[in-house]
Amino acid sequence: MECLGAPNFAAMAVSTSAPWRSRRRRMRPENASFNHRDSCYLPSVRVRASAGSESCVVVKEGFADEEDYIKAGGSELLFVQMQQNKAMDEQSKLADKLPQISIEDGTLDLVVIGCGPAGLALAAESAKLGLSVGLIGPDLPFTNNYGVWEDEFKDLGLGRCIERVWRDTIVYLDDGDPILIGRAYGRVNRHLLHEELLKRCVESGVSYLSSKVERITEASNGHSLVVCERDIVIPCRLATVASGAASGKLLQYEVGGPRVSVQTAYGVEVEVENNPYDPSLMVFMDYRDHIKQKAQCLEVQYPTFLYVMPMSPTRVFFEETCLASKDAMPFDLLKKKLMSRLETMGIRIIRTYEEEWSYIPVGGSLPNTEQKNLAFGAAASMVHPATGYSVVRSLSEAPKYASVIANILKRSHSKDIFTRGRSTGNISMQAWNTLWPQERKRQRSFFLFGLALILELDIEGIRAFFHTFFRLPNWMWQGFLGSTLSSADLILFAFYMFILAPNQMRMCLIKHLLSDPTGATMLRTYLTV
């Protein structure tokens, strides 16, 4: 489940050691190779299968670097591709609805690379403002299940795309009393969302080319040349990459930034007997230990939680989620944990409707904001480092970003301006500064600090963290999840957390601030004017 507004708090794959201890570095399964979801541009891979084994070894070929490989799926790349290539016959093909980009039409104002929610939204909003916009990318459907806070999605004018609403959400952290969040939660109909965003592209006049993009070069007149498969070249005044997190072949990222962590989740939508959950409540997270340490096997080393969407009393979406770890928790282990959990709870699966493999990179470096090519969505590092949120932010910021791009291009319409590389660079920098102003960088540095902290906590520390988190004022924890807190608000957030937290967590916070590099980076970023 890619949660548009769910608690994808990153970085909580920790060992079940004594409370408050730092995690041990986990073992990698012997058959996993490090030879090197949102990405639509997965390079080809070579696969080797061991005799008598179901495991496959993925060998990286054609990725920009190791970080790009990890963002694309890393050792779990085959599962990511399986998820992306699901058949979704209810969703229209882009090529059937949008006119094809024609080279004879001349230079486009804007090319958007990538056909996910971020790409479709930005293309539609830009074309609505009078720009000639081309959309380029493989014609793939939306395959992830999306969960959202109902109020946030309604604010985007997309309430009609929600197929199921729960009046409240509930959190189980231990065997004590559960926590009622007091906020309605919804599941998005991915088909309706796809059709709505596509409809907006049709109405605004977006054109389309079904192709992967090989590279982006610069012409002598300062325009961008988007080089596609079969040597098709599309000229444009500006190119924006919205092809997902693994976009290192088309974009430059800052060197020496934080390491990418990964959130993985394995889900099933099933018909069951003996469902113990109230169908009127969405289970935000169930962190209770149903397995009770009955098996000292590898998967027990990964604390995970259960995410539950009861579609009816007997039809339920269950998802075992590792909120994030430095190395992705393998999907086969997530599946084993989920099946063991359901069996222990007495839940019997009668029929399986769908499996889901969710892979979300979190953290990592920002794009280099001095480059000419622009970015949006996960490619622009817009995924919330401490929660995994991405799509709601992209959908909400698309109109503003499109307006900035349109104003820049309209002010710079004179051809002689675009013949000077320096001027073009300055034009792009205006757009980058809109996407990543210093205020946004301060917020991100705070989230990265929190991500690094949670990576060091064990399961008891995580439970204590969430017990404290949900005691905060509603506007504060809701704003944290939705990326709406200002950098000043986040300082207040930290103060409240420190006051409400137990003494052991306070000690961890102080130690982390003084010893972890993200603490120094956060202070330096906050002090930069």
Side-chain angles (χ1 to χ4, degrees):
M1 171 71 66
E2 180 177 345
C3 302
L4 309 189
N8 294 342
F9 283 91
M12 298 187 189
V14 295
S15 68
T16 51
S17 56
W20 304 99
R21 259 183 225 159
S22 296
R23 293 186 300 127
R24 294 172 296 175
R25 184 171 182 82
R26 70 171 181 81
M27 295 184 296
R28 179 176 299 280
E30 292 180 1
N31 58 5
S33 169
F34 236 120
N35 291 328
H36 257 307
R37 156 153 155 15
D38 284 312
S39 177
C40 295
Y41 305 96
L42 295 178
S44 60
V45 296
R46 187 169 70 253
V47 179
R48 298 194 301 266
S50 303
S53 171
E54 296 181 358
S55 300
C56 293
V57 177
V58 180
V59 181
K60 62 184 179 186
E61 292 179 349
F63 293 93
D65 50 32
E66 183 166 322
E67 181 173 291
D68 203 47
Y69 165 71
I70 293 171
K71 288 179 178 180
S75 59
E76 305 303 299
L77 181 58
L78 290 180
F79 289 103
V80 174
Q81 291 176 317
M82 286 168 58
Q83 178 68 24
Q84 290 178 336
N85 292 322
K86 286 181 179 178
M88 296 287 166
D89 295 334
E90 296 180 44
Q91 296 180 28
S92 302
K93 287 290 186 180
L94 302 180
D96 293 338
K97 299 288 186 178
L98 299 174
Q100 184 171 345
I101 294 175
S102 174
I103 301 177
E104 286 73 25
D105 291 341
T107 302
L108 294 168
D109 290 322
L110 177 69
V111 163
V112 177
I113 302 167
C115 304
L120 290 178
L122 181 62
E125 294 294 336
S126 301
K128 190 190 300 182
L129 297 175
L131 300 181
S132 59
V133 179
L135 181 68
I136 302 178
D139 200 342
L140 297 175
F142 294 176
T143 59
N144 283 348
N145 285 296
Y146 297 132
V148 299
W149 298 111
E150 182 191 26
D151 55 346
E152 288 186 347
F153 224 53
K154 281 187 173 180
D155 289 344
L156 294 174
L158 295 170
R160 59 188 172 278
C161 296
I162 300 178
E163 64 180 349
R164 175 75 164 86
V165 175
W166 293 269
R167 59 179 173 79
D168 204 346
T169 51
I170 193 167
V171 172
Y172 300 92
L173 296 177
D174 47 36
D175 293 329
D177 292 336
I179 301 169
L180 282 171
I181 303 302
R183 195 177 186 191
Y185 197 80
R187 172 161 141 164
V188 175
N189 184 308
R190 55 197 162 185
H191 309 308
L192 292 179
L193 178 62
H194 182 273
E195 298 306 293
E196 174 62 27
L197 295 179
L198 175 54
K199 176 187 174 185
R200 295 179 182 184
C201 287
V202 172
E203 293 175 346
S204 59
V206 174
S207 56
Y208 173 65
L209 176 64
S210 179
S211 174
K212 294 181 180 179
V213 172
E214 303 292 345
R215 61 189 180 277
I216 305 171
T217 61
E218 187 171 355
S220 58
N221 63 356
H223 290 169
S224 294
L225 302 176
V226 181
V227 182
C228 306
E229 295 173 306
R230 302 181 301 278
D231 294 325
I232 297 175
V233 179
I234 306 299
C236 61
R237 297 170 68 193
L238 278 178
T240 299
V241 180
S243 53
S247 298
K249 294 184 69 175
L250 303 178
L251 292 168
Q252 302 165 9
Y253 289 85
E254 293 177 351
V255 177
R259 188 177 186 272
V260 173
S261 298
V262 180
Q263 176 189 114
T264 49
Y266 171 80
V268 288
E269 186 160 336
V270 290
E271 198 77 27
V272 299
E273 289 181 348
N274 305 321
N275 173 29
Y277 293 105
D278 183 344
S280 68
L281 297 175
M282 184 271 164
V283 181
F284 207 40
M285 62 174 84
D286 186 345
Y287 245 117
R288 293 174 293 181
D289 184 8
H290 292 288
I291 300 176
K292 302 298 181 185
Q293 302 290 332
K294 66 179 182 180
Q296 293 298 320
C297 50
L298 182 60
E299 57 263 35
V300 174
Q301 298 182 23
Y302 301 90
T304 57
F305 72 87
L306 187 63
Y307 177 93
V308 185
M309 285 182 162
M311 305 304 292
S312 75
T314 59
R315 181 164 177 163
V316 187
F317 179 81
F318 295 106
E319 188 167 69
E320 195 75 23
T321 304
C322 173
L323 288 175
S325 59
K326 293 179 181 177
D327 299 305
M329 180 176 178
F331 286 114
D332 58 348
L333 297 186
L334 284 163
K335 182 175 183 177
K336 288 178 182 178
K337 289 200 73 172
L338 176 59
M339 295 305 149
S340 177
R341 184 194 295 268
L342 297 182
E343 180 182 2
T344 303
M345 295 175 69
I347 301 173
R348 188 170 77 88
I349 296 176
I350 300 172
R351 179 182 177 186
T352 300
Y353 296 101
E354 182 181 2
E355 293 181 279
E356 178 173 273
W357 300 271
S358 177
Y359 186 98
I360 304 175
V362 291
S365 299
L366 287 174
N368 182 343
T369 56
E370 295 182 0
Q371 63 189 309
K372 177 184 176 183
N373 300 328
L374 303 178
F376 192 62
S381 301
M382 291 172 65
V383 177
H384 193 311
T387 67
Y389 297 176
S390 170
V391 181
V392 160
R393 180 184 170 190
S394 296
L395 295 177
S396 63
E397 292 198 16
K400 178 182 176 181
Y401 196 47
S403 177
V404 170
I405 292 174
N407 288 336
I408 289 171
L409 290 175
K410 288 175 182 178
R411 287 200 309 266
S412 309
H413 192 66
S414 175
K415 289 184 179 180
D416 61 342
I417 292 181
F418 269 89
T419 60
R420 297 193 293 269
R422 183 176 178 181
S423 296
T424 304
N426 290 338
I427 290 167
S428 297
M429 191 171 292
Q430 293 175 51
W432 279 117
N433 289 339
T434 299
L435 198 63
W436 281 110
Q438 190 60 35
E439 169 66 9
R440 276 289 190 188
K441 291 180 179 179
R442 292 189 189 100
Q443 295 168 340
R444 190 172 193 268
S445 70
F446 186 96
F447 297 143
L448 288 171
F449 173 80
L451 170 62
L453 168 67
I454 298 173
L455 277 168
E456 299 301 322
L457 297 178
D458 66 8
I459 182 62
E460 293 303 324
I462 290 169
R463 287 170 176 157
F465 174 85
F466 282 119
H467 272 300
T468 305
F469 181 83
F470 288 114
R471 289 174 60 198
L472 295 172
N474 286 348
W475 70 269
M476 194 172 286
W477 68 259
Q478 290 180 11
F480 184 92
L481 295 181
S483 298
T484 58
L485 296 183
S486 68
S487 58
D489 290 335
L490 289 171
I491 296 299
L492 186 62
F493 170 94
F495 177 77
Y496 268 73
M497 283 288 293
F498 189 83
I499 294 298
L500 296 175
N503 288 331
Q504 287 175 306
M505 178 167 281
R506 292 175 185 169
M507 293 171 61
C508 286
L509 285 167
I510 295 172
K511 179 181 177 182
H512 187 66
L513 179 63
L514 297 177
S515 63
D516 194 271
T518 58
T521 300
M522 178 180 65
L523 294 175
R524 186 167 56 250
T525 306
Y526 262 76
L527 293 174
T528 300
V529 179

